[in-house]
Structure formats: structure tokens, C-alpha cells
Amino acid sequence: QVQLVQSGTEVKKPGASVNVSCKASGYTFATSGITWVRQAPGQGLEWMGWISADNGDTNYAEKVQGRVTMTTDTSTSTAYMELTSLTSDDTAVYYCARAKVRGWYELDPWGQGTLVTVSS
Amino acid sequence: DIQMTQSPSSLSASVGDRVTITCRASQRVAGYLNWYQQISGKAPNLLISGASSLQSGVPSRFSGSGSGTDFILTISSLQPEDFATYYCQQSYSTPWTFGQGTKVEIK
């Protein structure tokens, strides 16, 4: 079945960087994009950006533009999201999701989430 | 950016009730509107895409309607496993944006 499996919990100090991975299986990786969404404790869902697994094109949310880099490795069907200059505001669960085109884009499935805690 | 506003933010309902959640976009998004269910502590799960297309495996008590700026998610007969938070999301233009969520609680 189509599945996304993310890397494990991270604890970082302010100013550090974090790299979260998302390994896809059950479909041809290059046929869909990958979206990254985060959810701060007790809050809603925030779209961070999108990457095409086909050609590497990216589109980042303005809020994280300049601090986020999304990449893919088609040889291992894995997507990566690096976020730099972390602050406590970046404490959240980070999700990857397949961005599948059906005329519209739909996010399905989602990874299990990676908790990133930023604390001194 | 397109702002998505859901109402209500929360509701209390009983098993068997009919529940409707609305989602309004700040500008037209055609039918590029998805609905997700998030059970506490879990990843979101896609229920409906393209405003009204029910995902495979999702019970038929869920339905979606609307186009342009106004959309509705309906649960025809609420079941115990439906108590969760529901989010709408537009994919008409980037940044793709989510509603603030509607928490459905047990009455």
C-alpha cells in the first residue's frame, strides 16, 4: 500500500537546524509531489511548501522562505525537509504528504509525523 | 493568500446526529477543496477531494458539496469513531491554506 514513513523525534537548541526525512513506498515516487505541513502544539495545520519529485521544482510558504529547503532523492524514494535558524516557534509536529494530481491536488497519504522540539 | 474560514470552530453532537461543517474561502477556489479528518494525536486523513469526491474506504455517511467560495462537509449519521477535528484545505493556488479546524465532540 502507499505509505510515507518519517524519521524520528528531534530535540534542537535555538539557532540549530533540523533535517526530517520522508521515505515513500507503494507508488512511483516521481509521479507525485511531496508537501510538508506542520502543526504546533494545540494548533491547526500550516502548509510549509511543496516539491515536485519529478524535477525538483519547489514552492515555499513565505513564512519559512529563506530558512527551508526541500529536496528529494529519487534513487531511494525519499524526501527531505531542512529548516534552519530554529526558534521556539518552530516547535511542532512536521508531516510530509503525497501531493497527488487529480485535476486538483490532494494530500494523501500522510506520514506519521515527526515531533521537533526547540528548547534551550 | 486565500484565507479559509470554517464554522463552527467546535460542536457537540450525539451518535446518530446529522452534522454539517462549512468552509468559506476568501476568494474563489473553483472545486479545488479537500476535507481531512484528524483524530487526536494522529496524522490527518483525506476524506473528500475536489469538493465532493469521496476517497476510497471512507464511509458513505461523509459527503461534500459546494464550489466557488462556499463548501459543506456533511456527516449524515455521526458514529463514535467520527469524533475528531476536521479541516478544509484549498489547492487552487499556493500557498495552499487550511481552515482553522472544527472539533466535533461528544454531547
Side-chain angles (χ1 to χ4, degrees):
Chain A
Q1 76 283 20
V2 178
Q3 192 175 11
L4 300 176
V5 178
Q6 298 182 223
S7 50
T9 297
E10 301 268 10
V11 179
K12 296 292 182 180
K13 294 195 182 301
S17 299
V18 69
N19 200 323
V20 180
S21 68
C22 169
K23 184 171 176 59
S25 61
Y27 71 100
T28 303
F29 186 63
T31 60
S32 298
I34 294 288
T35 289
W36 291 88
V37 174
R38 68 180 179 180
Q39 186 170 37
Q43 302 301 308
L45 302 170
E46 178 186 15
W47 183 81
M48 298 180 67
W50 168 91
I51 181 168
S52 166
D54 178 33
N55 59 20
D57 283 351
T58 55
N59 189 312
Y60 299 141
E62 193 172 325
K63 187 174 180 181
V64 293
Q65 178 87 40
R67 292 200 297 132
V68 69
T69 302
M70 296 177 188
T71 58
T72 59
D73 180 345
T74 54
S75 68
T76 60
S77 299
T78 302
Y80 300 91
M81 187 282 299
E82 181 184 32
L83 189 63
T84 62
S85 302
L86 294 171
T87 72
S88 57
D89 289 343
D90 295 314
T91 293
V93 177
Y94 289 74
Y95 294 103
C96 62
R98 181 178 67 162
K100 182 180 174 183
V101 175
R102 283 181 61 188
W104 55 82
Y105 278 98
E106 59 186 42
L107 306 182
D108 179 58
W110 294 56
Q112 82 277 19
T114 297
L115 174 61
V116 176
T117 302
V118 182
S119 174
S120 55
Chain B
D1 298 1
I2 299 175
Q3 186 169 1
M4 309 301 292
T5 303
Q6 291 180 230
S7 61
S9 295
S10 64
L11 64 90
S12 295
S14 301
V15 173
D17 283 354
R18 181 181 181 88
V19 169
T20 59
I21 298 169
T22 65
C23 176
R24 175 164 288 176
S26 61
Q27 59 192 80
R28 292 179 61 85
V29 297
Y32 291 32
L33 192 285
N34 303 321
W35 289 98
Y36 302 87
Q37 177 193 62
Q38 186 177 34
I39 294 171
S40 182
K42 301 293 187 181
N45 181 52
L46 178 66
L47 295 177
I48 290 169
S49 66
S52 61
S53 179
L54 191 68
Q55 295 306 293
S56 175
V58 174
S60 59
R61 63 181 178 273
F62 291 92
S63 64
S65 63
S67 66
T69 60
D70 294 310
F71 301 87
I72 295 174
L73 173 70
T74 301
I75 309 172
S76 60
S77 177
L78 198 66
Q79 298 301 301
E81 59 268 31
D82 301 336
F83 292 96
T85 300
Y86 294 85
Y87 294 92
C88 61
Q89 175 247 333
Q90 63 82 18
S91 64
Y92 184 76
S93 67
T94 58
W96 296 343
T97 43
F98 293 88
Q100 81 278 17
T102 296
K103 187 172 184 178
V104 177
E105 299 176 302
I106 300 172
K107 192 171 188 178

